[in-house]
Amino acid sequence: MKFRPLHDRVLVRRVETEAKTAGGIIIPETAQEKPSEGVIVAAGTGARRDDGTVVPLELKAGDTVLFGKWGGTEVKIDGEDLLIMKESDILGVIETSAKGKKK
């Protein structure tokens, strides 16, 4: 199924976190918090102002982002758990260097 968010909403896939601490302790799945990092899968066209003009989104598909712990609405599309949230719920974009590592 193809899904396109409307207006200023984005579709986000959570990025799975490491299940092991720096000291090597394995954290059981039931004790792990849901990650607050994800990748934009799809983005809407932008917010519409009162005068009818559209303000385009700054986010695009493929951006790695941070969002609030309780942000978004969980949905299941093609058997995959995803989040739909407004662009304003996104805290920031994680930019990567040329080597592919997070800055």
Side-chain angles (χ1 to χ4, degrees), residues 5-22:
L6 297 177
H7 307 295
D8 63 339
R9 290 181 175 78
V10 293
L11 186 65
V12 179
R13 176 183 300 121
R14 287 185 194 267
V15 174
E16 296 302 319
T17 58
E18 185 69 35
K20 192 185 291 187
T21 65

Side-chain angles (χ1 to χ4, degrees), residues 12 14 32-37 66-75 82-86 88-91:
V12 179
R14 287 185 194 267
Q32 292 179 14
E33 289 189 19
K34 289 185 178 179
S36 59
E37 183 178 329
L66 289 178
F67 50 88
K69 190 174 190 177
W70 305 108
T73 302
E74 294 184 1
V75 295
L82 301 168
L83 291 169
I84 297 175
M85 61 181 63
K86 288 189 165 235
S88 60
D89 292 339
I90 303 292
L91 303 175

Side-chain angles (χ1 to χ4, degrees), residues 37 64 66 93-103:
E37 183 178 329
T64 302
L66 289 178
V93 177
I94 299 173
E95 299 191 7
T96 56
S97 65
K99 295 178 185 176
K101 294 186 179 182
K102 295 176 188 171
K103 284 186 177 180

